[in-house]
Amino acid sequence: MAYFQFQITKVMARKRLVVLVVSVLLPIYSQAFDSKATGFRAAVVKVDITPEGHQMLLGYGARKSTGVNDRIYHRIVVMDDGKTQFVLVSSDICVMSPAEYDRVAARLKKQLGIDPVNFWWNLTHTHSAPELGPPGLPALFMANRYEHHFDSDYAEVTEKKLIDGIAEARQKLVLARLGVGWGLSQANINRRAKDIDGKAYLGMDPDGAVDRRIGVLRLDKEDGSPLALLANYAIHGTVLSGENLLISGDAPGVVAEYVEQKLGVPMLFINGAAGNIAPIYSGYPNPKAGRMNQFRVLLGEKILAANKSISATTNDISLKTASLIVETPRKPELGWIDELKDYTRTTKAGVNMVKLPVRFLQINDDIAIWSAPLELFCEISNEIRDRSPFPYTFYFGYGNGWLGYLLTEEEIKHGGYEVTVSPFTPVAAQHLTDSVVNHLQGKK
């Protein structure tokens, strides 16, 4: 009798253990299942990258900062549809070498398992931010500007903050919704002034090509409260001139901070095809002279209006990433930078080519975003947007590095500063346009 009572006790103990295990694990599995079933999650992190000491500033001639006007940041968004996890970063930096992007992308792949095709690092293009990493292609065009060594300590700190920020965002993913819309701002102007001889100079051309559309993506939490905003607008970060020695996010930074104050969440300012587009106030020695705070109204209020116009959001989100290499001849007799050897090749016929990486993000069936490491002229992105089958087509500029200005064939004829810092020939615009449009239209 004692033996059978012992066996019954063992069976009951096993049953209690099974019930305990199920009661503990079932909620965990249910949460995982619900997360995948619901699909879309997102998170945002804002990280201060303002240096403590003086730094060489990038933009204009070589010069060292003497202080800080406004702080600069990494702003990081992670989106996850259950299959694809996409990382978008907007940093208050002017430009960087594609080799700098490659180094950070490799670290992210090793440490966090993020495929580079799903990691986009876009820069706001402020001309009053510190240098970040080795100069890359600019040293080819402006060797005298880079007689000093870059600050490797600042680069390491900034890179670590980026990687840590991405890791933090991945831990903060919450169920989310996404909405999209358009806005309009006249805060910019074509900067390719032309004299009677047809030659182009840095200035203002009220009749020149421009892109004044604002592309807006809004991320909300599942309950409808705001999570983050992304605003895509073409404008040079040149309200402040080379006389300014204070670190600043320039107009993009001022606008982002203003929108964040109004909404209570971070805003990623994503620059567009700003190669030939300046702010309407440009080249001033200090923020007051440049009316920099007026951009809170000129652009910030327009972004807020565009945000309000988004009447619907959805949690039914599909993210698809892709990439391609556009090959186009580089200028004859133009040299190259050793660290960028992966971005060029020589054909059997002896023609030196630029290997231009282009990234794509498709969100559902109506949003297409493409990005390249270029200072692109707006006519090119305008044409691609007009020919795209997607109703919302955005160009995210200064993405994953800088390989120079890419002008239209017509604008190259007028010369000017941009032509001198471009590695491309007149056929490059057509090569890029055809490649991107074919991809967006689903053509091989």
Side-chain angles (χ1 to χ4, degrees), residues 46-312:
K46 179 179 176 182
V47 184
D48 195 321
I49 58 170
T50 313
E52 296 181 2
H54 304 308
Q55 289 287 323
M56 295 299 295
L57 301 178
L58 185 54
Y60 311 116
R63 68 204 202 282
K64 182 171 283 191
S65 67
T66 58
V68 176
N69 180 72
D70 51 282
R71 304 192 74 78
I72 57 176
Y73 300 90
H74 292 315
R75 292 174 172 92
I76 303 163
V77 158
V78 175
M79 296 185 287
D80 190 326
D81 68 357
K83 294 181 179 179
T84 299
Q85 191 171 95
F86 178 77
V87 178
L88 176 67
V89 179
S90 171
S91 296
D92 293 319
I93 296 292
C94 185
V95 296
M96 66 182 174
S97 170
E100 172 69 12
Y101 165 81
D102 290 339
R103 276 188 289 273
V104 174
R107 290 176 63 180
L108 278 173
K109 176 70 172 177
K110 181 178 180 180
Q111 296 179 29
L112 303 180
I114 298 173
D115 192 306
V117 75
N118 296 330
F119 165 50
W120 291 18
W121 189 1
N122 294 82
L123 307 181
T124 64
H125 199 53
T126 169
H127 280 43
S128 296
E131 298 174 343
L132 182 63
L137 208 58
L140 187 67
F141 303 118
M142 301 169 279
N144 292 339
R145 193 210 179 283
Y146 295 97
E147 293 178 348
H148 61 277
H149 293 288
F150 74 94
D151 188 332
S152 58
D153 291 337
Y154 177 71
E156 173 58 31
V157 168
T158 305
E159 292 166 9
K160 187 177 186 304
K161 286 184 176 181
L162 177 57
I163 294 170
D164 290 348
I166 292 172
E168 179 184 348
R170 296 176 82 192
Q171 294 297 317
K172 290 184 174 180
L173 287 168
V174 295
L175 296 177
R177 306 177 66 86
L178 185 143
V180 61
W182 288 111
L184 180 70
S185 169
Q186 300 189 66
N188 61 12
I189 191 169
N190 189 293
R191 71 177 197 168
R192 296 262 294 170
K194 297 179 179 69
D195 208 335
I196 55 174
D197 58 3
K199 292 183 179 179
Y201 303 88
L202 292 177
M204 292 189 294
D205 181 5
D207 300 317
V210 72
D211 183 6
R212 293 192 166 124
R213 296 181 78 168
I214 308 169
V216 176
L217 292 170
R218 188 176 77 221
L219 292 168
D220 291 341
K221 296 179 183 178
E222 186 66 11
D223 62 6
S225 60
L227 179 63
L229 195 68
L230 284 68
N232 178 214
Y233 186 74
I235 187 169
H236 249 79
T238 54
V239 172
L240 299 175
S241 71
E243 295 179 59
N244 170 66
L245 299 179
L246 300 178
I247 290 171
S248 173
D250 208 271
V254 166
V255 169
E257 285 287 302
Y258 175 71
V259 173
E260 289 173 349
Q261 291 170 12
K262 292 294 184 179
L263 296 182
V265 297
M267 187 197 92
L268 278 69
F269 188 101
I270 310 292
N271 218 321
N276 53 345
I277 296 182
I280 58 172
Y281 302 125
S282 191
Y284 290 85
N286 59 68
K288 184 176 180 181
R291 308 167 181 84
M292 200 154 73
N293 281 340
Q294 289 188 20
F295 285 89
R296 295 177 298 181
V297 174
L298 293 166
L299 182 52
E301 285 291 339
K302 305 304 185 293
I303 291 172
L304 290 169
N307 176 54
K308 288 182 180 179
S309 74
I310 299 175
S311 58

Side-chain angles (χ1 to χ4, degrees), residues 300-435:
E301 285 291 339
K302 305 304 185 293
I303 291 172
L304 290 169
N307 176 54
K308 288 182 180 179
S309 74
I310 299 175
S311 58
T313 61
T314 179
N315 61 5
D316 185 10
I317 296 295
S318 171
L319 305 173
K320 297 178 182 178
T321 56
S323 63
L324 64 83
I325 299 294
V326 178
E327 291 199 347
T328 188
R330 75 178 196 234
K331 287 178 179 177
E333 309 303 325
L334 181 69
W336 203 247
I337 301 295
D338 288 342
E339 70 171 13
L340 297 178
K341 61 181 182 298
D342 292 339
Y343 293 86
T344 188
R345 76 176 183 92
T346 302
T347 68
K348 292 181 180 179
V351 178
N352 293 322
M353 307 291 285
V354 179
K355 297 170 66 176
L356 179 58
V358 182
R359 298 284 179 82
F360 297 90
L361 172 65
Q362 180 182 333
I363 305 177
N364 294 351
D365 295 323
D366 53 355
I367 303 171
I369 306 171
W370 66 285
S371 183
L374 291 170
E375 199 137 6
L376 191 67
F377 270 37
C378 68
E379 297 95 317
I380 299 168
S381 65
N382 287 351
E383 179 181 348
I384 289 171
R385 183 174 61 206
D386 291 343
R387 295 172 60 187
S388 170
F390 296 86
Y392 297 96
T393 300
F394 306 142
Y395 170 68
F396 284 9
Y398 307 97
N400 303 342
W402 188 85
L403 287 175
Y405 283 85
L406 201 156
L407 300 77
T408 62
E409 182 174 3
E410 178 60 31
E411 283 299 315
I412 289 176
K413 297 175 184 177
H414 295 286
Y417 163 72
E418 297 90 349
V419 177
T420 68
V421 287
S422 171
F424 303 105
T425 70
V427 300
Q430 197 61 54
H431 287 168
L432 178 63
T433 300
D434 290 344
S435 297

